[in-house]
Amino acid sequence: MDHSVRKSFYLKTFGCQMNVYDSERMTEALAREGYAETAELESADLVILNTCHIREKAAEKVYSDLGRIRDIKDARGRHGKNTVIAVAGCVAQAEGAEITARQPAVDLVIGPQSYHRLPELIKRIADERKSIVETEFPGDEKFAKLTARRRVSSPSAFLTVQEGCDKFCSFCVVPYTRGGEFSRPVAKIEAEARELVRAGAREIVLLGQNVNAYHGEGAGGRAASLADLIRHLAGIDGLERLRYMTSHPRDMSDDLIAAHAEIPQLMPFLHLPVQSGSDRILAAMNRKHTATEYIDVIGRVRAARPDIALSSDFIVGFPGETDQDAEATIDLIEKIGFAQAYSFKYSPRPGTPAAIRSLQIPEELKTERLLRLQAVLEGQQVAFNCRSIGGVVPVLFERQGRQAGEFVGRTPYLQLVHAAGAGDLVGSTANVAVTEARRMSLSGVIAAA
Ligand code: SAH
Ligand code: SF4
Ligand code: F3S
């Protein structure tokens, strides 16, 4: 191979924001090794799939992609070009060597805690010409080693502050794929946040599988809560907005709720998954909260920040779910009123307790319940967005739109906004008079300063 030509890599990301964050870090690590990113699969010397194991569909998509990539690898091989195929993320962690058994063209299987070793492992594959499976949990080594300069591709940047989960909801793979809860120290997070702001970030979204369980090392070695961390980061010059996700209802502490009333940089938006409105199902899910407790938490959050926009996750068709249980979920949705939400059909995942329970719900019934639930949620989303019409909202512009002179940004409530503007608005915040609302976005005109 011609070593004067820079090697290229193609990286595809599935799943949650934490995977997006990890992909950004891998991209930075590879750039330091001289790799150039390419959007063209056929020309890549290294192909990485950063995968998600949360539902069956997400995991199976990886294998169909791998089949296609193997064909490309074979074709390139006939022209004397080598292609290294790497599978990263939660499927890598969950399935390990099963992946290379099922698709022998895969050279590297690398779990989320080992990304700092990516460049070294790729070199080893080239030297030893054998596949490697690396799915250890070396604790915080990953963050310690991935500390180089951050780049930002958008004024809104992700920053992982906590990983893993100790909650063990009976349907969920995350405690197995990401391991136990681990919080990064405040000082490390602050340094990275400053780096992101220096590189152009105006908003930082603090990420964790269970982010409000954050308890990292703070000043004087004492544990800091997520609220402490947010208060601390709010002091960074040039950082206009802070958000966090995803939270668990049990960890919605008083100081975090108070932060929503007291810290102007903390945006009035909360994604708080509830999964179901039936206490019987919540108990079977091992969610550790009831519907009433959830409604109570929301009441306290709304008392602190009356205009807060609420978001949630729902699962329909959990084993044993009756029509009555499904109705209880609709009741909860109607009681609360969500600005947006994600909803899923229950997907049995290997190794989780719920997967082997009796009374699995037939697919058609799941579909029926999902459509009914989504109709209610979509109605609420449209109503929430329509309430913005006629008002003026500060919009942080994140990118150019499809039309010339159009920019796309977000309101404090996370609504997407399209507006026309002169000059380059990306990275700046402007007041927008909202003229139109749809389910997924708003349109408006930039109001005079
Ligand atoms: N840590 C977050 C996110 C977990 S995964 C949390 O606690 O909410 C994101 C969402 O995927 C979950 O909230 C849940 O609604 C959904 N999910 C997880 N496992 C699932 C499964 N087996 N089938 C269907 N949806 C699932
Ligand atoms: Fe999964 Fe439950 Fe942990 Fe969320 S809280 S990551 S749903 S086990
Ligand atoms: Fe998927 Fe892993 Fe995130 S399973 S949702 S990529 S933590």
Side-chain angles (χ1 to χ4, degrees):
M1 183 163 286
D2 183 356
H3 285 283
S4 64
V5 179
R6 270 178 93 187
K7 289 205 177 185
S8 64
F9 72 98
Y10 172 95
L11 172 55
K12 181 171 172 183
T13 308
F14 302 79
C16 63
Q17 287 92 345
M18 310 206 41
N19 266 11
V20 174
Y21 173 86
D22 284 343
S23 286
E24 286 170 1
R25 307 305 303 271
M26 283 191 267
T27 298
E28 290 160 8
L30 289 167
R32 285 195 296 276
E33 297 292 314
Y35 277 85
E37 190 169 11
T38 174
E40 228 178 283
L41 188 52
E42 287 77 9
S43 68
D45 302 298
L46 167 65
V47 177
I48 305 173
L49 299 184
N50 193 7
T51 62
C52 174
H53 201 246
I54 201 85
R55 284 168 290 274
E56 190 181 356
K57 248 195 211 141
E60 281 307 308
K61 180 80 177 51
V62 172
Y63 286 99
S64 59
D65 277 11
L66 283 176
R68 210 157 48 89
I69 296 163
R70 182 218 34 221
D71 294 345
I72 292 168
K73 178 174 178 151
D74 290 348
R76 281 171 51 92
R78 287 193 288 277
H79 293 94
K81 289 182 188 153
N82 187 35
T83 312
V84 172
I85 304 179
V87 177
C90 292
V91 176
Q93 190 64 45
E95 299 188 359
E98 278 172 54
I99 297 172
T100 41
R102 198 166 150 188
Q103 181 48 268
V106 171
D107 301 283
L108 174 63
V109 176
I110 181 166
Q113 306 308 325
S114 304
Y115 294 155
H116 54 286
R117 302 193 51 207
L118 186 64
E120 162 212 332
L121 293 172
I122 292 167
K123 273 188 211 117
R124 246 176 67 195
I125 288 164
D127 296 344
E128 298 171 20
R129 301 201 163 270
K130 63 164 200 222
S131 63
I132 297 175
V133 176
E134 179 64 53
T135 52
E136 294 301 304
F137 276 115
D140 59 343
E141 225 183 283
K142 160 181 161 181
F143 289 109
K145 299 246 170 84
L146 288 174
T147 49
R149 292 169 78 89
R150 297 294 328 268
R151 298 188 309 195
V152 296
S153 50
S154 160
S156 176
F158 291 141
L159 202 176
T160 295
V161 303
Q162 179 275 334
E163 271 208 80
C165 182
D166 294 338
K167 294 281 190 300
F168 290 92
C169 299
S170 61
F171 52 81
C172 184
V173 295
V174 170
Y176 313 97
T177 61
R178 295 275 175 166
E181 247 174 43
F182 164 78
S183 297
R184 299 175 65 192
V186 172
K188 294 277 167 55
I189 295 166
E190 184 191 342
E192 191 171 333
R194 287 189 185 279
E195 201 46 35
L196 287 168
V197 172
R198 187 198 50 75
R202 294 293 165 262
E203 168 176 288
I204 292 182
V205 187
L206 306 175
L207 298 180
Q209 266 90 18
N210 209 167
V211 73
N212 59 345
Y214 175 85
H215 57 277
E217 187 190 322
R222 280 188 303 274
S225 66
L226 182 63
D228 297 334
L229 177 66
I230 288 169
R231 278 176 211 282
H232 194 74
L233 297 179
I236 296 178
D237 256 359
L239 180 54
E240 294 170 25
R241 294 181 170 191
L242 280 161
R243 303 180 185 275
Y244 60 92
M245 68 191 329
T246 292
S247 297
H248 191 284
R250 273 285 291 262
D251 298 317
M252 226 38 233
S253 60
D254 290 340
D255 68 336
L256 184 55
I257 293 174
H260 276 284
E262 293 160 11
I263 301 175
Q265 291 93 332
L266 183 57
M267 290 293 104
F269 179 90
L270 175 64
H271 179 66
L272 193 65
V274 63
Q275 315 300 354
S276 168
S278 155
D279 287 344
R280 217 173 57 80
I281 295 299
L282 287 169
M285 285 176 163
N286 191 29
R287 283 290 292 180
K288 305 177 172 81
H289 62 80
T290 63
T292 310
E293 282 164 348
Y294 183 85
I295 291 168
D296 174 64
V297 168
I298 294 295
R300 286 188 288 133
V301 171
R302 275 187 165 148
R305 183 76 207 222
D307 65 333
I308 199 156
L310 298 170
S311 168
S312 198
D313 290 344
F314 297 90
I315 295 177
V316 302
F318 187 81
E321 186 187 66
T322 62
D323 286 343
Q324 227 180 341
D325 295 321
E327 272 318 298
T329 304
I330 304 275
D331 281 352
L332 178 133
I333 293 169
E334 279 168 348
K335 258 187 209 136
I336 289 179
F338 290 96
Q340 61 158 74
Y342 302 89
S343 47
F344 314 97
K345 289 193 254 186
Y346 169 69
S347 171
R349 307 304 294 130
T352 61
I356 50 170
R357 291 205 185 139
S358 51
L359 301 171
Q360 297 284 332
I361 305 296
E363 208 50 34
E364 313 79 67
L365 189 52
K366 284 185 196 169
T367 305
E368 203 179 286
R369 285 180 185 163
L370 185 69
L371 291 176
R372 163 134 167 73
L373 183 106
Q374 286 180 339
V376 178
L377 288 168
E378 284 172 15
Q380 292 190 345
Q381 191 171 9
V382 170
F384 180 82
N385 285 345
C386 283
R387 285 206 291 279
S388 301
I389 297 176
V392 175
V393 278
V395 173
L396 170 59
F397 287 100
E398 296 180 4
R399 57 185 160 89
Q400 289 192 323
R402 243 169 277 158
Q403 266 123 49
E406 185 196 49
F407 291 89
V408 184
R410 290 191 186 270
T411 71
Y413 311 106
L414 208 66
Q415 296 150 295
L416 211 57
V417 183
H418 300 262
D424 187 5
L425 288 180
V426 175
S428 59
T429 303
N431 282 330
V432 172
V434 178
T435 54
E436 271 178 69
R438 292 161 298 273
R439 183 165 79 81
M440 299 297 282
S441 65
L442 308 175
S443 302
V445 291
I446 293 173

